[in-house]
Amino acid sequence: MSDCGCEFEAKDKAQQTALYWLLAINGVMFLAEFAIGLLGGSTALIADSLDNFADAAVYSAGLYAVGRAAYHKARAASIGGVVQILLALFALGEVVRRTVMGSDPEPAYMVAMGLAALVANITCLLIIARHREGGVHMRASWIFSANDVIANVGVIVGSALVYFLDSRFPDLIIGLVVGIIVLLGGIRILKDARKTRAELEASSPSEAP
């Protein structure tokens, strides 16, 4: 069989298809969770929705990187990491604001949206699983999807605690935890991308612009 590049083309197309699905799912979940978070007064849902928005930005960067040189993939992952860190800081700021100003989260909204988001993000995790070794940009997508599942479980647990304890603090605590998870995920991606760029520059200085 001649080296026509068909295998790489098929791999790139499969990555693109996976990322388009991830982008669509996270875009819809961001809009739904943010709206329900505002309606239900839930910091945890707002933080989780911002996580979905950050993921959508990362998947967009990943789509740009598919089929490009490894350096561009690392740069796309870096952009996604920065976006995730910025949105994590916003979510943490919202936790502080609602702690000071007060909040009244509605557990029914939290559990319903948390379950819907959990199903959506497990779907994302299954879609990206086969591509997680496809480059730093795909590893970033895997990390974000795995973090989302953890965050969704946290929202569901938080909703139960809000209901049974009749307290807003579980919602604030889960919002804080989700914000920290998003922040640490962004930092991890930046480190991975930095390591990839350093390896490229060491092995082939002409690879990097």
Side-chain angles (χ1 to χ4, degrees):
M1 180 178 176
S2 62
D3 186 12
C4 64
C6 299
E7 180 181 349
F8 293 107
E9 184 177 345
K11 182 179 178 181
D12 290 342
K13 186 171 181 59
Q15 287 185 3
Q16 282 182 325
T17 300
L19 288 170
Y20 275 125
W21 274 108
L22 295 175
L23 178 59
I25 291 171
N26 278 271
V28 170
M29 292 310 300
F30 159 67
L31 293 174
E33 273 198 286
F34 192 79
I36 297 299
L38 290 177
L39 184 64
S42 172
T43 304
L45 283 180
I46 291 173
D48 201 37
S49 74
L50 292 174
D51 184 26
N52 285 319
F53 182 84
D55 290 352
V58 169
Y59 300 141
S60 297
L63 282 168
Y64 159 80
V66 170
R68 295 177 183 267
Y71 184 86
H72 293 288
K73 294 178 179 180
R75 184 164 59 184
S78 294
I79 293 171
V82 170
V83 170
Q84 184 144 347
I85 288 171
L86 291 175
L87 288 175
L89 293 175
F90 178 83
L92 292 172
E94 185 67 8
V95 171
V96 172
R97 186 185 74 82
R98 287 176 178 258
T99 299
V100 174
M101 302 297 292
S103 62
D104 185 22
E106 174 52 58
Y109 288 134
M110 291 177 65
V111 70
M113 198 67 246
L115 287 171
L118 181 61
V119 171
N121 285 312
I122 288 177
T123 301
C124 288
L125 202 59
L126 294 174
I127 291 172
I128 199 65
R130 71 181 66 179
H131 303 288
R132 65 180 182 272
E133 300 302 328
V136 64
H137 64 308
M138 299 305 288
R139 288 198 298 274
S141 299
W142 165 260
I143 291 170
F144 296 146
S145 296
N147 284 346
D148 285 347
V149 171
I150 296 171
N152 296 149
V153 172
V155 170
I156 294 169
V157 171
S159 66
L161 292 175
V162 167
Y163 177 77
F164 287 112
L165 299 178
D166 192 23
S167 170
R168 67 191 177 99
F169 288 104
D171 175 63
L172 294 170
I173 292 170
I174 294 300
L176 176 65
V177 171
V178 171
I180 292 173
I181 289 173
V182 176
L183 180 64
L184 293 178
I187 292 172
R188 181 179 173 187
I189 293 309
L190 287 181
K191 287 181 178 179
D192 193 15
R194 189 179 300 115
K195 179 182 177 183
T196 298
R197 287 198 303 269
E199 290 173 350
L200 288 169
E201 290 169 358
S203 62
S204 178
S206 59
E207 183 81 18

